[in-house]
Amino acid sequence: MNPYILSLLVFSPLLGIAGLLFVSKNNENALKRLGILGTIPPLILTIYLYSEYLSGTKFTVFSVFHKWFQLGGGGVRQSQLYAIPFELSLNGISLVMVILTAILSTLAALASVLQIKKEWKGYFILLLLLEVGMLGVFLSQNLILFFLFFEVTLVAMFFLIGKWGYFDKEKAAFSFLIYNGLGSCILLFVIMVLFARTGTANIEILGQILSVGGQTLLAPISTELKYILFTGIVIAFGIKLPIFPFHSWMLRVHVQAPPAIVMLHAGVLLKIGAYGLIRFGMGLFPGEFKEMAFWIALLGVINFLYGAWLALQQTDFKLVLAYSSISHMGIVLMGLGALNTAGIQGALFQVVSHGLIAALLFLLVGFLYERVGTTNLKELGGLAKSIPVFSGILLAGGMASLGLPGMSGFISEFMAFMGLFKTEPILAAIGTLGIVLTAVYVLRAVLNMTFGAPKNELSIADLKPNEAVLAFVLLGFIILIGVCPAILEGPLQAEIADMMTGIGR
């Protein structure tokens, strides 16, 4: 069964889509149940994969290879060139990312039942299609398959934002499409050049060919061209992360998209940017990444400080969280730019940690908006008296975001800064200002909402049991990683060791 697990995992949400197609659009209860059930098979399969990892099973037994289609002629050598097989594979990073995707997809589907009010059929079909795209992105073993799954996520997100978002949803959806479409064009250019000059899109083979060069290439790839391709990858995935100054589209999405979708966007989709930088930037162009490491770390410090400073200026809690995401993605860049084990480990921990923390905070934002109809900090206050459970979880999420020990955020920030202090101490010292700013804007926003005199005269109900369960599950994962980081560290160790070998350290 192992050779089929990854294919089943990627396409299992289609079972839910198939079921939804046969249900009337007016049968809301059945649509909601099928929408949630559609996310369960991927969750079960990811748990199975993690259990197999714990039992010592090699990742290679899960690899998938099927002939798909061929471009070009049919000579003996040509039959091995320009062939595009259907290839999936698993490694430590992709295992962590598909687990994160499966967990957040199920929680987002459950949150959708509580937050979405119309057109369930189309909504859940797109949500499950989005999950197919996200899982495919993290498991693809060739660049063209990666690109196809990447585009699936863009299309699904465009309609989810544009149809079920708030007042400026169309503007946010088109902004998302334009920026990410530009990133896709750049990425496609890089993929086509690599494919044309090497004859393969397999990521592992590409890495080997690019490291050897010479006669293994169908056409030469000069040093200058390598830098151009590497820069293209940084820009393409930098837009997705997002790196300053390619961030403005993300603010609109975080404010205008429905909170359940923002859980997935902040929790998983932004992380595709980090995954691409690691897998393709560092994996295919280790020499160029090493040469540009200082500038990547510098961009990280700029992101960290810029996002934190602007988060401090905001009066809308959604915008505080949106700028906070920009700031926290800076930590990912700082860790990668450190170019050592601690830094890269911190970056990968931050990818997962921020995914969980951002999902928790946007889940709470959705519940709050349902109750008071605003997320403006000037119109909120004294929530701890009327909704103490909500306020307590919000405070815990805020503490996790600012990196309180015992929470996942502390582990990731500590390792990323430790790595950067080792290689770029001046940049790291400047970056620590962002930790202070983070503490200030998080505490300012959370305490402003929860303490002080109540500013809303209406009686507000606290979290219902089903809402509280979703929040506690996310909070539980955040604390689990904070007190037991080994559950993440284990799968990532071998990949980090390979990266260090690739960059010659």
Side-chain angles (χ1 to χ4, degrees), residues 117-417:
K117 306 298 180 188
K118 62 178 183 179
E119 301 184 45
W120 297 97
K121 188 170 184 173
Y123 176 84
F124 275 119
I125 286 175
L126 288 168
L127 181 67
L128 293 172
L129 192 62
L130 179 63
E131 187 174 10
V132 170
M134 292 187 293
L135 293 169
V137 158
F138 295 126
L139 292 174
S140 295
Q141 181 57 18
N142 75 53
L143 289 174
I144 292 174
L145 199 57
F146 173 91
F147 184 78
L148 293 177
F149 282 120
F150 186 71
E151 292 302 293
V152 169
T153 67
L154 297 191
V155 173
M157 271 299 290
F158 172 75
F159 287 109
L160 284 166
I161 298 167
K163 184 71 177 177
W164 287 272
Y166 292 109
F167 303 109
D168 283 334
K169 54 191 178 187
E170 290 90 355
K171 190 174 181 180
F174 279 107
S175 181
F176 167 83
L177 191 64
I178 291 169
Y179 272 88
N180 286 274
L182 176 63
S184 293
C185 289
I186 296 171
L187 182 61
L188 184 60
F189 166 77
V190 174
I191 291 172
M192 289 297 102
V193 171
L194 287 174
F195 190 48
R197 301 215 165 197
T198 62
T200 181
N202 182 286
I203 296 167
E204 189 175 343
I205 296 174
L206 268 174
Q208 294 168 359
I209 289 176
L210 289 172
S211 64
V212 176
Q215 295 181 347
T216 60
L217 298 172
L218 295 180
I221 298 181
S222 64
T223 303
E224 291 76 15
L225 181 56
K226 272 192 172 183
Y227 273 103
I228 291 172
L229 297 176
F230 173 72
T231 304
I233 284 177
V234 171
I235 294 174
F237 290 110
I239 291 173
K240 194 71 183 172
L241 196 56
I243 296 175
F244 172 85
F246 307 119
H247 63 282
S248 61
W249 66 272
M250 195 206 76
L251 302 172
R252 297 191 186 101
V253 170
H254 278 201
V255 172
Q256 299 300 331
I261 296 305
V262 182
M263 285 174 64
L264 288 176
H265 187 257
V268 180
L269 289 167
L270 295 186
K271 310 310 181 288
I272 294 176
Y275 179 80
L277 286 175
I278 295 168
R279 190 90 196 270
F280 307 129
M282 191 179 288
L284 298 182
F285 301 96
E288 289 69 21
F289 198 99
K290 190 175 178 180
E291 289 292 322
M292 300 296 286
F294 171 81
W295 301 104
I296 291 170
L298 178 62
L299 280 172
V301 172
I302 292 171
N303 253 52
F304 192 37
L305 296 178
Y306 173 81
W309 175 251
L310 289 182
L312 190 59
Q313 316 299 316
Q314 304 307 310
T315 56
D316 189 296
F317 191 49
K318 283 184 182 176
L319 280 173
V320 172
L321 297 182
Y323 279 108
S324 172
S325 291
I326 294 171
S327 179
H328 281 89
M329 290 304 96
I331 296 175
V332 174
L333 293 173
M334 289 161 62
L336 295 179
L339 221 58
N340 53 35
T341 302
I344 294 172
Q345 198 166 339
L348 289 168
F349 265 68
Q350 179 68 358
V351 165
V352 178
S353 170
H354 181 263
L356 295 169
I357 295 170
L360 171 62
L361 293 174
F362 277 104
L363 176 73
L364 295 174
V365 163
F367 293 150
L368 179 65
Y369 191 83
E370 283 287 310
R371 285 161 169 76
V372 299
T374 182
T375 52
N376 191 322
L377 296 176
K378 293 180 179 177
E379 298 174 17
L380 295 168
L383 294 177
K385 292 179 181 176
S386 53
I387 47 175
V389 176
F390 171 89
S391 301
I393 299 174
L394 179 66
L395 184 60
M399 295 299 104
S401 183
L402 63 82
L404 187 75
M407 304 283 204
S408 59
F410 172 76
I411 303 291
S412 54
E413 290 184 24
F414 179 78
M415 288 193 292
F417 270 98

Side-chain angles (χ1 to χ4, degrees), residues 67-144:
K67 289 184 178 179
W68 191 11
F69 63 95
Q70 172 93 26
L71 300 177
V76 175
R77 191 179 177 209
Q78 287 292 322
S79 65
Q80 298 173 359
L81 298 174
Y82 300 115
I84 304 174
F86 179 83
E87 294 174 286
L88 301 176
S89 71
L90 187 70
N91 59 37
I93 299 174
S94 56
L95 174 63
V96 167
M97 295 310 298
V98 293
I99 292 173
L100 179 68
T101 302
I103 290 172
L104 293 187
S105 295
T106 300
L107 294 177
L110 289 165
S112 299
V113 172
L114 305 172
Q115 296 170 351
I116 299 298
K117 306 298 180 188
K118 62 178 183 179
E119 301 184 45
W120 297 97
K121 188 170 184 173
Y123 176 84
F124 275 119
I125 286 175
L126 288 168
L127 181 67
L128 293 172
L129 192 62
L130 179 63
E131 187 174 10
V132 170
M134 292 187 293
L135 293 169
V137 158
F138 295 126
L139 292 174
S140 295
Q141 181 57 18
N142 75 53
L143 289 174
I144 292 174

Side-chain angles (χ1 to χ4, degrees), residues 410-483:
F410 172 76
I411 303 291
S412 54
E413 290 184 24
F414 179 78
M415 288 193 292
F417 270 98
M418 189 170 70
L420 194 59
F421 263 112
K422 196 171 182 181
T423 55
E424 300 290 348
I426 295 176
L427 277 183
I430 296 171
T432 54
L433 294 173
I435 297 176
V436 178
L437 290 173
T438 303
V440 173
Y441 76 71
V442 169
L443 291 175
R444 167 184 164 271
V446 173
L447 297 182
N448 181 77
M449 293 164 66
T450 54
F451 291 100
K455 295 181 181 178
N456 195 313
E457 299 299 329
L458 298 174
S459 176
I460 308 170
D462 208 343
L463 292 183
K464 300 170 187 172
N466 50 0
E467 295 172 329
V469 166
L470 297 182
F472 277 120
V473 167
L474 283 168
L475 188 58
F477 280 119
I478 293 166
I479 295 172
L480 179 63
I481 294 173
V483 298

